[in-house]
Amino acid sequence: MNKRTFIAVLMAVALIAGTACSAKKGSESSDDTAADSLQNEATAAGAPKAYPWDFPEGIALDNPEAGQYVLSPYTFYPEALAEEDDPGSKTLIFYSTTLTKYGDTHSTLDNLGEDPVEMPNSLIILLPKEEKAHVGDVLLTWWQSGSGLQRAIVTDASDPERPRVVYLDLNYGDDELANKYANEQLKPSSFDVLRDGEWQPGAAVAAFDGKEWKSGILIHATDNKVLMIGFSGVVYAYNRSDCRLIPIKQDLKVGDEVMALFVSKFTPGYKITRIDRRVGRVWIKKDDQKEKIVSILEVVKSL
């Protein structure tokens, strides 16, 4: 083999090796791109869904003022969006705080001295300033020696801006929390009076899911939709046409047959055995079951 032939052979071998190497690198690059694409798709598929409810996120709130008391799941909701695959199924406890800055769709809430939290307006309930109450009124407030949203009935309104109440969403009976904290005095501007027949935050609602009447606490309502707190603090959206308000002022009598709350739903077949309107409680019994005590917001004649 002469010198020129030998050089030509070396060049051919180098070219083949280089082509093979380039092909391998190209294949690795394509594989990496495909892997990245699959990873991105997987991330997107498992990513939390921002605001998962079929209800307007940025509703307008009535007469908002900085410093006003509000109820909101502000300690739960941002975490749910960041960490949960399905934030719509997470328990969201509505705690009390104050409004820092109002916005048309989202507002900023005080966060116990830390950085303020921005929340969608649909998950904020304003409590009006300088509201006055009367004995027998049902209020939306929070458990003021504990925490979390509560409805309550007024037992003493000698100071109408600081009424004394019995909480309706705490269990009632011997050694129960509602009895232990009975006649607790509320702070000024920390409650809203619930009006019978009005779709206002805090109203008791029954929503038909196609099979059962689910119990809920109204957060907000539009002409067509309802956003409510359901069993175990999970938030649900329903068509308003599938929902009914539970009346506050019902003509209930001992011996009446009613539907009453059982776990998460209104169930028929109960009979009233006793009523104490002062504390907003009804004693009911079904067949051979043990008598139980429910609030006036957990019983209804029919739906």
Side-chain angles (χ1 to χ4, degrees):
M1 181 182 297
N2 60 33
K3 186 175 181 180
R4 287 184 179 179
T5 303
F6 179 72
I7 292 173
V9 170
L10 286 178
M11 290 178 65
V13 171
L15 179 61
I16 292 170
T19 302
C21 184
S22 296
K24 182 179 180 182
K25 288 183 178 179
S27 175
E28 289 176 349
S29 177
S30 298
D31 289 345
D32 289 344
T33 301
D36 289 344
S37 177
L38 289 172
Q39 178 65 34
N40 291 338
E41 289 177 8
T43 300
K49 180 181 179 182
Y51 195 82
W53 301 285
D54 182 18
F55 187 90
E57 183 174 359
I59 62 172
L61 302 178
D62 293 335
N63 304 315
E65 295 182 37
Q68 188 171 359
Y69 282 122
V70 304
L71 299 169
S72 177
Y74 70 101
T75 62
F76 286 81
Y77 179 69
E79 178 184 341
L81 288 185
E83 298 180 1
E84 295 290 321
D85 289 340
D86 182 12
S89 66
K90 184 177 176 66
T91 294
L92 299 178
I93 299 176
F94 279 63
Y95 286 131
S96 62
T97 185
T98 55
L99 181 67
T100 301
K101 183 179 179 181
Y102 178 73
D104 291 339
T105 60
H106 291 69
S107 297
T108 304
L109 306 180
D110 180 70
N111 189 22
L112 303 176
E114 299 182 7
D115 291 338
V117 176
E118 185 178 88
M119 292 289 292
N121 287 351
S122 59
L123 292 178
I124 298 172
I125 298 174
L126 294 177
L127 298 177
K129 289 188 174 182
E130 300 178 355
E131 185 84 331
K132 293 180 174 62
H134 301 86
V135 171
D137 281 348
V138 174
L139 312 179
L140 172 65
T141 184
W142 71 89
W143 180 12
Q144 299 200 358
S145 58
S147 61
L149 180 152
Q150 281 283 321
R151 278 82 56 85
I153 190 166
V154 178
T155 54
D156 180 351
S158 52
D159 184 345
E161 292 190 10
R162 301 178 69 241
R164 294 187 178 275
V165 301
V166 170
Y167 293 112
L168 294 175
D169 294 309
L170 296 178
N171 288 338
Y172 188 88
D174 294 340
D175 300 321
E176 295 286 4
L177 289 174
N179 303 64
K180 182 178 180 180
Y181 294 96
N183 301 312
E184 186 162 272
Q185 190 166 29
L186 302 184
K187 300 175 182 179
S189 302
S190 69
F191 60 89
D192 193 10
V193 177
L194 298 181
R195 295 171 291 279
D196 208 15
E198 292 196 18
W199 294 83
Q200 66 182 117
V205 180
F208 191 64
D209 67 356
K211 295 181 180 179
E212 301 169 328
W213 285 100
K214 297 294 187 180
S215 171
I217 300 173
L218 185 64
I219 304 171
H220 288 292
T222 66
D223 290 342
N224 302 314
K225 292 288 182 178
V226 162
L227 192 67
M228 73 178 208
I229 306 167
F231 178 67
S232 194
V234 177
V235 172
Y236 298 94
Y238 286 93
N239 291 325
R240 182 161 164 170
S241 59
D242 293 327
C243 298
R244 304 287 184 272
L245 289 173
I246 304 301
I248 296 173
K249 299 176 181 178
Q250 301 187 64
D251 183 23
L252 300 174
K253 300 183 295 294
V254 172
D256 283 350
E257 290 193 3
V258 294
M259 300 178 73
L261 179 63
F262 177 73
V263 186
S264 64
K265 61 187 178 181
F266 284 93
T267 303
Y270 288 93
K271 183 172 286 189
I272 295 177
T273 59
R274 179 186 168 193
I275 302 171
D276 188 337
R277 289 183 171 82
R278 179 182 174 276
V279 297
R281 270 11 189 241
V282 180
W283 282 251
I284 56 174
K285 196 172 188 303
K286 183 175 184 179
D287 301 328
D288 296 329
Q289 297 177 12
K290 183 180 178 181
E291 184 181 63
K292 67 176 186 175
I293 307 171
V294 296
S295 89
I296 56 173
L297 303 178
E298 297 172 337
V299 62
V300 65
K301 286 188 174 181
S302 63
L303 290 169

